């Protein structure tokens, strides 16, 4: 989208996942929107609703009584001209509005963009304040008073849905009040993160120009400088502010001169200082005291430029701003010796009808005390772009002398100078506002850090937030090294020996620093070692002078960027424990780090260390909960042939909850499938999950039907609530559950659920449906019944059970997700493993905020040839016939070795059914992994195993059954019961 920000790219949704159109629609329909929308956007929407704004409104109010030449306009025009040149050919538009939201200036990267706007928006005067235009970049920046990004559907008005913008308030550097707003607008699909850095830099340039608009006291100082006979002449060029001292000077050169000039003014004394520039040139700054006619005392600072003739006259071009009260005849001075005076007469060639020249002046900081009272030095002035005062900057180059353009363009014999030997750099009062300006910048950075660092509970991300906050406003490069134990969530033990590079961040990407993930070992005399050993920040203002410790750590020295010249190393200490270190490197800014920078870096590191420690503690607790959770979940699936099962468990990114699943082999070759979800997160939920899973398995192994299992679990959850010493009976524990029992002999499945999402059923032909299964109340409410439903599951069907973390997400609608799940499951040829993976790849949220438990079961049917069934009346005479028939079937199956045990078991079970039950009596043999003998009758009387005395004639039958079988038990039917026993086939 922009030339300097890399290749265009499509942003799609907002990068941080905010501003979905659905959330806006829900808000406009009056539905609650608590998540998925950034707080600032939601607050703005609510204000728009309170004001009665309509999202369909397309017109904007227009004002024609604004000041077209106000302070913000004069400060913005040169900046916007440069921005327009930079973004030429792109789809970006640039706007400047005043403090009331009235757009005063507009520039377009492509001229055709203006034709797409309504006619009223092509000229200054239309209002974008939030109170009339709804949520937008300009209005929200004024309301929130900081950098704002508005994307697509985050706009309140329909007219702006296809666009995005980033806006930043422009403040008066002296008062701190908002003078206006700078806004970049662009198409929604052309997002570029580099715009944030560009808009910050442009806003700072405008603020410097606002600082350059002089006050009456400053004009008095300038008049005194001119009328008392300048020791150095000066020239002006196009009204550009202090950072445009000369076209030949780069931004770093200008910054170095402005900072040194502010320092000279703050010292309030006559001095001459040579300022070396990075390219090897040296410029001399000269300061001298002066007093205006009204008694205003100040300091003038001039620059001696070594590449011009000292006799060239200096001119003030016509196009620069005129100083009120400044006589036009003083516009030309001589660059002669110190005794030279300003000429009171117009120079040769001056025409009386020519307009007077204008002079640019600029304020640099807050008003300071008068006089030369003490030299505070330059402490605190670092980072400020000058001092409060008047600036005259630039090279003379206008066509015409005396700052006058001829009406016909004829220059006559007037000299046309190319440059000047001396320039006025700064005029201001001692104790200038550079300190106040720098202090305000530091406070703004700390304020931003408070809201930015620690936004997540991730150790690595918190370290990245520290680096992103410091670059580029404090440092050009930042590295963060943390103890490996901290990264794992444990207590740091010896940070001197187990540091690992966690973050490398800077103004460019090709950084030669030790890469992220590598161990960092620093030499014994390095700044990092001294920082860790002493627990204090270490300042290296000049790395060239630090050759001693760099020689002790040649590997680290080789990895430093060539242009880095200053370093601050700060320990990351939280609650008395050293977690790691942060390194702040300066390269572009020619001024080295100072004591104030060290204090600021220390404060940032302290705040970041507390957030990192909080994230570490959270990581430790989450690891414990996750370990407990995984320990309580099944470690493997039981051997059974009824279903082919695959499963997945995906913990939430933020916290672990109590989701679980289980596969339970049951009698008669049946299998139980269960998924559940405990409400809440953390250790309590994980522990409760373990208790519920154990209880559910126990109830299921009693061969209870699904609805009765849920009833017992409901009673258990209610009891846990009442027994909780901290819950006070308010029901802090809740859970949902789905339980299904599949019988491969009949291909029937019985299901019941307690407040749980319904399962998905995939038929062999690919048809996907959600069975109409009564929802039932969540577990823990008590007293409400659960209903079970029986459905047919042909062989090859897939039953998909899941928890709500799969389908419920604050950015998605449940119905839409269920449709996505239906489409994903419409592939019956997939194996359960492939189905699980497809669901996680296409349906599961990328960043789940709740646990996801997934269970996919493909059904099998027991071969009818492996099933033998007999029915007989309640007559002991038929026992022998059944026994003989069973032995014959066992012989057919090749189970002669198991015949003896099976014959005794069947004899005992059938005899008991005839003696203690009632007809009809049914006998069934199932040949699966084991041989299962089942005898059912219509009685609900359950047999009990007891140890018969030596004198008892009976009571030993069930004891023999228990000894001959692997397992035995009773299963109740709607009418009657089944006594079953399993015989092993190992010997067969």
């Amino acid at each position: 989208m922009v030339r300097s920000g890399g290749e265009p790219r499509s942003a799609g949704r907002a990068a941080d996942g905010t501003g979905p159109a659905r959330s806006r629609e829900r808000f406009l329909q009056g539905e609650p929107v608590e998540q998925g929308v950034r707080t600032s956007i939601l607050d703005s929407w609510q204000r728009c609703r309170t004001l009665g704004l309509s999202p369909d409104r397309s017109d904007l109010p227009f004002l024609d009584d604004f000041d077209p030449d106000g302070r913000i306009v004069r400060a913005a025009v040169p900046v916007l001209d440069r921005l327009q040149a930079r973004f030429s050919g792109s789809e970006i538009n640039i706007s400047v509005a005043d403090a009331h939201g009235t757009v005063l200036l507009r520039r377009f990267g492509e001229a055709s963009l203006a034709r797409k706007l309504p006619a009223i928006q092509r000229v200054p005067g239309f209002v974008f304040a939030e109170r009339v235009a709804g949520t937008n970049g300009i209005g929200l920046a004024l309301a929130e008073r900081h950098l704002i990004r508005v994307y697509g559907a985050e706009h309140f008005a329909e007219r702006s849905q296809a666009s995005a913008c980033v806006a930043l308030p422009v403040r008066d550097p002296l008062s701190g009040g908002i003078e206006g707003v700078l806004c970049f607008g662009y198409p929604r699909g052309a997002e570029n993160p580099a715009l944030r850095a560009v808009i910050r830099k442009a806003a700072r340039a405008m603020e410097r120009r606002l600082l350059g608009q002089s006050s009456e006291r400053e004009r008095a100082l300038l008049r005194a400088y001119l009328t008392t006979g300048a020791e150095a002449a000066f020239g002006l060029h196009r009204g550009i502010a202090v950072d445009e001292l000369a076209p030949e000077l780069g931004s770093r050169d200008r910054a170095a001169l402005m900072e040194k000039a502010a320092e000279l003014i703050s010292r309030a004394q006559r001095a001459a200082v040579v300022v070396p520039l990075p390219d090897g040139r040296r410029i001399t700054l000269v300061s001298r005291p002066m007093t205006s006619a009204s008694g205003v005392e100040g300091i003038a600072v001039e620059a001696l430029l070594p590449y011009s003739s000292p006799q060239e006259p200096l001119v003030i071009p016509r196009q620069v701003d005129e100083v009120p009260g400044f006589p036009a005849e003083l516009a030309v001075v001589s660059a002669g010796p110190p005794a030279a005076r300003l000429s009171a007469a117009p120079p040769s060639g001056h025409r009386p009808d020519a307009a007077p020249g204008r002079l640019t002046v600029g304020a640099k900081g807050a008003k300071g005390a008068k006089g030369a009272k003490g030299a505070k030095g330059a402490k605190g002035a670092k980072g400020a772009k000058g001092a409060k005062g008047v600036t005259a900057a630039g090279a003379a180059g206008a066509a015409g002398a005396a700052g006058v353009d001829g009406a016909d363009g004829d220059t006559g014999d007037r000299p046309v100078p190319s440059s000047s030997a001396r320039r006025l750099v700064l005029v201001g009062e001692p104790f200038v506002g550079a300190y106040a300006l720098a202090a305000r910048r530091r406070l703004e950075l700390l304020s931003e850090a408070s809201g930015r660092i620690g936004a997540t509970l991730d150790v690595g991300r918190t370290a990245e937030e520290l680096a992103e906050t410091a670059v580029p406003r404090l440092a050009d490069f930042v590295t963060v090294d943390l103890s490996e134990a901290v990264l794992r969530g444990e207590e740091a033990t010896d940070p001197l020996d187990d540091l690992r590079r966690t973050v490398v961040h800077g103004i460019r990407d090709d950084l030669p620093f030790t890469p992220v993930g590598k161990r960092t070992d620093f030499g014994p005399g390095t700044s990092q070692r001294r920082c860790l050993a002493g627990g204090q920040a270490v300042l290296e203002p000049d790395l060239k002078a630090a050759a001693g410790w760099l020689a002790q750590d040649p590997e680290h020295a080789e990895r430093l960027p060539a242009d880095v010249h200053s370093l601050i190393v700060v320990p990351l200490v939280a609650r008395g424990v050293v977690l790691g270190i942060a390194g702040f490197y300066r390269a572009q800014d020619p001024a080295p780090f100072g004591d104030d920078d060290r204090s600021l870096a220390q404060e940032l590191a302290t705040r970041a260390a507390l957030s990192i420690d909080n994230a570490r503690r959270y990581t430790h607790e989450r690891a414990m909960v996750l370990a407990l959770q995984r320990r309580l979940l099944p470690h493997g699936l039981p051997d059974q042939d009824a279903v082919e099962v695959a499963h997945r468990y995906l913990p939430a990114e933020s916290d672990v909850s109590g989701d679980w699943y289980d596969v339970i082999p049951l009698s008669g070759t049946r299998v139980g499938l269960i998924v559940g979800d405990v409400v809440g997160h953390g250790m309590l939920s994980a522990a409760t999950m373990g208790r519920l899973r154990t209880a559910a398995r126990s109830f299921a192994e009693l061969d209870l039907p699904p609805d009765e299992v849920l009833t017992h679990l409901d009673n258990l959850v209610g009891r846990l609530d009442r027994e909780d010493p901290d819950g006070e009976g308010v029901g802090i524990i809740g859970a949902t559950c789905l339980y299904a029992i599949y019988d491969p002999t009949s291909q029937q499945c019985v299901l019941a659920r307690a407040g749980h999402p319904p399962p998905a059923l995939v038929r062999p032909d690919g048809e996907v449906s959600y069975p109409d299964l009564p929802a039932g109340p969540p577990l823990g409410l008590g007293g409400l019944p659960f209903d079970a439903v029986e459905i047919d599951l042909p062989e090859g069907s897939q039953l998909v059970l899941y928890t709500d973390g799969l389908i419920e997400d604050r950015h998605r609608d449940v119905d839409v997700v269920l449709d996505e799940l239906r489409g994903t499951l419409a592939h019956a040829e997939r194996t359960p493993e492939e189905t699980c993976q497809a669901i996680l790849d296409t349906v599961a949220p990328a960043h789940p905020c709740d646990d996801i438990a997934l269970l996919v079961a493909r059904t099998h049917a027991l071969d009818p040839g492996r099933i033998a069934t007999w029915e007989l009346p309640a007559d002991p005479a038929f026992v022998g016939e059944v026994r003989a028939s069973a032995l014959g079937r066992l012989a057919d199956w090749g189970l002669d070795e198991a015949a003896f045990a099976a014959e005794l078991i069947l004899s005992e079970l059938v005899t008991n059914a005839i003696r203690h039950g009632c007809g009809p009596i049914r006998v069934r043999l199932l040949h699966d992994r084991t041989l299962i003998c089942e005898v059912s009758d219509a009685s609900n009387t359950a047999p009990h195993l007891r140890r018969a005395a030596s004198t008892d004639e009976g009571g030993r039958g069930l004891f023999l059954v228990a000894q001959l079988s692997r397992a035995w038990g009773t299963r109740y039917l709607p009418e009657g019961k089944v006594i079953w026993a399993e015989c092993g086939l190992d010997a067969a």
Side-chain angles (χ1 to χ4, degrees):
M1 187 185 80
V2 296
R3 294 181 175 180
S4 61
E7 294 297 325
R9 69 181 181 89
S10 176
R13 290 182 57 199
D16 52 2
T18 59
R22 181 168 181 81
S23 295
R24 177 177 175 274
E25 293 174 1
R26 292 177 57 192
F27 176 84
L28 294 176
Q29 294 171 3
E31 300 179 13
V33 180
E34 298 178 354
Q35 295 178 328
V37 180
R38 289 182 287 158
T39 302
S40 58
I41 299 296
L42 184 57
D43 291 345
S44 178
W45 288 355
Q46 292 171 344
R47 290 193 296 268
C48 294
R49 173 188 287 171
T50 303
L51 293 170
L53 299 181
S54 171
D56 301 326
R57 178 178 175 180
S58 58
D59 60 320
L60 292 173
F62 180 82
L63 301 177
D64 54 7
D65 59 348
F66 61 89
D67 185 1
D69 194 33
R71 297 182 69 231
I72 188 67
V73 173
R74 285 183 281 125
V77 167
V79 179
L80 262 63
D81 290 342
R82 292 195 291 270
L83 289 174
Q84 185 176 22
R86 174 174 184 172
F87 293 120
S88 176
S90 70
E91 294 184 278
I92 195 170
N93 66 84
I94 310 162
S95 303
V96 172
D98 63 15
H100 304 290
T102 303
V103 175
L104 306 179
L105 296 170
R106 199 155 201 185
R107 297 285 192 275
F108 297 92
E110 184 178 335
S112 61
L113 295 176
R115 294 192 293 270
K116 299 178 182 179
L117 295 174
I120 195 174
Q121 294 187 25
R122 301 175 192 171
V123 295
F126 63 92
V127 181
F128 257 130
E130 186 185 73
R131 67 181 184 278
V132 294
T135 307
N136 67 88
I138 292 175
L140 194 53
L142 289 172
E144 297 289 334
R145 306 179 70 82
H146 57 73
L147 180 69
I148 284 295
R149 173 179 170 275
V150 183
Y151 180 90
E154 291 182 335
H155 289 88
F156 187 77
E158 296 286 351
R159 62 174 178 273
S160 303
Q161 299 293 293
S163 64
C165 64
V166 58
L168 181 65
V170 179
R171 298 176 180 272
D172 185 328
L174 300 180
S175 67
I178 294 178
E179 288 287 330
V181 176
L182 176 62
C183 181
F184 293 172
Y186 46 91
R188 184 176 60 185
E191 177 74 6
N192 194 323
L195 287 180
R196 302 193 184 194
V198 175
I199 199 171
R200 287 186 186 277
K201 184 175 181 181
R204 285 197 296 269
M206 293 172 61
E207 290 174 350
R208 289 196 299 269
R209 291 185 56 79
L210 284 173
L211 199 62
Q213 298 180 21
S214 64
S215 66
E216 182 57 39
R217 293 170 63 86
E218 295 152 358
R219 296 191 190 102
L221 288 174
L222 182 60
R223 283 194 296 269
Y225 174 81
L226 296 175
T227 57
T228 58
E231 291 185 10
F234 65 94
L236 297 170
H237 179 59
R238 293 196 308 274
I240 297 177
V242 265
D243 60 333
E244 299 289 342
L245 180 67
E248 297 88 350
L249 299 180
S251 59
R252 291 192 294 175
D253 302 336
R254 294 193 294 268
L257 292 178
M258 289 305 103
E259 184 169 349
K260 183 58 68 174
E263 180 179 337
L264 291 174
I265 291 177
S266 67
R267 290 178 176 177
Q269 60 186 6
R270 187 184 298 272
V273 177
V274 177
V275 181
L277 300 180
D279 60 2
R281 289 185 295 170
R282 300 164 68 87
I283 294 182
T284 302
L285 293 183
V286 178
S287 65
R288 64 181 179 86
M290 51 177 293
T291 305
S292 71
S294 60
V296 178
E297 298 177 344
I299 300 292
V301 180
E302 302 159 316
L304 278 65
L305 305 181
Y307 45 81
S308 303
S309 170
Q311 299 300 326
E312 286 182 342
L314 301 170
V315 299
I316 303 173
R318 173 184 178 185
Q319 62 265 35
V320 301
D321 298 334
E322 180 179 354
V323 178
F326 181 73
E329 59 269 24
L330 295 181
V332 177
V333 297
S334 173
R341 293 290 184 268
L342 295 171
S343 173
S348 173
H350 176 71
R351 296 187 301 188
D353 58 341
R358 292 186 292 172
L359 178 68
T360 292
V361 294
K364 288 289 167 187
K367 293 184 179 181
K370 295 194 301 180
K373 297 231 173 175
K376 292 252 181 184
K379 290 184 179 180
K382 304 300 183 187
K385 296 294 183 184
K388 173 188 175 184
V390 186
T391 177
V404 179
D405 294 331
D408 55 2
D410 181 21
T411 61
D413 54 350
R414 289 172 290 172
V416 182
S418 61
S419 59
S420 172
R422 296 191 178 194
R423 305 270 192 260
L424 174 65
V425 177
L426 207 59
V427 175
E429 300 176 57
F431 310 114
V432 291
Y435 305 113
L437 185 60
R440 179 175 292 118
R441 295 300 188 198
R442 290 194 294 271
L443 288 174
E444 289 175 354
L445 183 58
L446 290 175
S447 176
E448 179 180 333
S450 298
R452 185 172 185 177
I453 299 176
T456 67
L457 287 173
D458 181 83
V459 172
R461 179 57 193 151
T462 303
E464 291 174 359
E465 290 164 352
L466 166 63
E468 292 169 357
T469 301
V471 176
R473 298 167 68 179
L474 173 62
D476 297 314
F477 307 101
V478 173
T479 63
V480 179
D481 302 281
L482 295 177
S483 168
E484 289 190 61
V486 172
L487 294 173
R488 294 193 302 266
E490 303 171 2
E491 290 278 356
T493 54
D494 188 4
L496 290 172
D497 297 326
D498 71 338
L499 288 178
R500 190 169 292 277
R501 180 57 48 87
T502 307
V503 174
V504 176
H505 183 68
I507 55 177
R508 58 179 184 267
D509 295 331
D510 54 335
L511 303 179
F513 291 99
T514 301
V516 173
K518 296 290 185 180
R519 287 182 60 90
T520 50
D521 297 316
F522 300 103
T526 60
S527 300
Q528 289 82 357
R529 279 276 176 171
R530 289 185 281 123
C531 169
L532 289 172
Q536 298 293 328
V538 175
L539 170 64
E540 295 285 359
D542 186 3
L543 286 181
K544 293 182 180 179
W549 71 259
L550 288 177
Q552 298 181 52
D553 192 5
E555 181 181 355
H556 180 64
E558 291 176 0
R559 291 185 179 275
L560 286 177
D563 54 349
V564 167
H565 60 78
S566 190
L567 166 67
I568 298 175
V569 183
V570 186
L572 297 172
V573 183
R575 301 174 178 94
V577 178
V578 178
L579 309 177
I581 56 173
F584 300 85
Y585 298 84
R586 180 167 285 179
Q588 284 195 338
D589 192 338
F593 283 125
D595 291 334
D596 288 336
D597 298 313
R598 175 169 55 185
S599 300
L600 179 58
Q602 180 74 64
E603 179 65 23
L604 288 176
T606 299
R607 299 187 182 200
L610 288 173
S611 297
I612 289 174
D613 192 52
N614 290 337
R616 179 197 65 79
R617 291 167 178 261
Y618 166 77
T619 301
H620 179 67
E621 180 180 346
R622 184 175 187 272
M624 291 178 58
V625 175
L626 188 57
L628 175 63
Q629 175 85 332
R630 294 194 181 279
R631 188 68 179 172
L632 295 175
L633 287 173
H635 292 179
L637 298 179
D639 294 331
Q640 46 81 37
D641 295 326
V643 291
E644 178 187 355
V645 180
H647 59 89
R648 294 290 189 278
Y649 172 73
L650 187 64
E653 284 192 350
S654 58
D655 206 349
V656 180
S657 60
D659 291 20
W660 90 90
Y661 61 89
D662 210 345
V663 178
I664 309 168
L666 301 175
S667 65
T669 70
R670 298 172 308 140
V671 65
L673 305 172
I674 188 168
V675 292
D677 182 6
V678 176
V679 175
H681 298 81
M683 189 71 72
L684 175 62
S685 295
T688 304
M689 178 275 291
R691 300 174 72 175
L692 288 183
R693 175 177 173 258
T694 302
R697 189 177 187 91
S698 299
F699 296 143
E701 289 178 344
L702 291 176
D703 271 330
L704 299 177
D707 53 334
E708 292 189 27
V709 170
L710 294 182
T711 300
H712 286 293
L713 289 177
D714 181 54
N715 295 332
L716 174 62
V717 172
R719 186 165 61 254
L720 293 177
D721 275 341
R722 293 188 296 271
E723 294 175 354
D724 182 16
D726 300 322
E728 298 180 357
V730 296
I732 64 167
I733 299 175
T736 64
C737 186
L738 171 62
Y739 182 36
I741 296 177
Y742 172 69
D743 188 347
T745 64
S746 62
Q747 301 178 40
Q748 296 285 316
C749 184
V750 181
L751 307 94
R753 61 178 176 138
H756 202 82
L761 174 59
V762 184
R763 299 284 180 178
D765 58 0
E767 179 189 355
V768 181
S769 63
Y770 298 99
D772 186 11
L773 182 62
L779 301 177
L781 295 183
L784 298 176
F786 299 95
D787 296 324
V789 171
E790 187 175 58
I791 59 175
D792 293 325
L793 285 186
E795 184 175 12
S797 301
Q798 289 193 23
L799 191 63
V800 182
L801 285 67
Y802 50 87
T803 55
D804 57 3
L806 177 68
I807 61 173
E808 293 182 4
D809 183 75
R810 59 187 177 185
H811 302 302
R812 305 184 300 172
D813 184 82
V814 173
D815 294 335
V816 174
V817 178
L818 289 176
D819 288 339
E820 293 178 0
L821 179 60
R822 187 192 303 271
T824 303
L825 294 177
H827 298 274
E829 72 282 0
R830 286 178 177 158
T831 65
E833 283 290 340
E834 293 172 342
T835 301
C836 274
Q837 194 58 46
I839 292 174
L840 293 185
D841 292 341
T842 60
V843 181
H847 305 282
C849 56
D850 194 7
D851 289 10
I852 297 175
L854 178 63
L855 195 63
V856 178
R858 169 174 284 174
T859 62
H860 298 298
L862 186 61
D863 185 357
R866 289 173 170 257
I867 304 173
T869 305
W870 300 273
E871 291 191 6
L872 66 155
D875 186 348
F878 292 93
V879 174
E881 296 181 9
V882 171
R883 192 166 53 228
S885 299
L887 290 176
R889 183 57 61 93
L890 292 177
D892 295 339
W893 289 342
L895 302 179
D896 294 329
E897 296 294 335
F900 176 73
E903 182 181 8
L904 290 179
I905 290 173
L906 281 177
S907 297
E908 182 59 36
L909 294 182
V910 172
T911 302
N912 281 345
I914 294 174
R915 180 177 299 176
H916 303 291
C918 58
I921 298 172
R922 185 169 180 263
V923 177
R924 188 169 70 161
L925 293 181
L926 302 175
H927 180 196
D928 192 39
R929 291 175 178 265
T930 60
L931 177 63
I932 304 172
C933 305
E934 294 183 347
V935 177
S936 62
D937 64 82
S939 171
N940 290 324
T941 303
H944 297 282
L945 178 65
R946 65 186 181 89
R947 187 175 298 275
S950 59
T951 58
D952 290 342
E953 294 183 0
R956 296 175 178 83
L958 288 181
F959 180 77
L960 291 175
V961 171
Q963 294 299 313
L964 293 172
S965 64
R966 284 187 173 184
W968 73 280
T970 304
R971 180 171 74 248
Y972 288 94
L973 304 175
E975 295 182 0
K977 64 180 182 299
V978 175
I979 310 297
W980 58 269
E982 290 186 7
C983 297
L985 302 180
D986 298 338

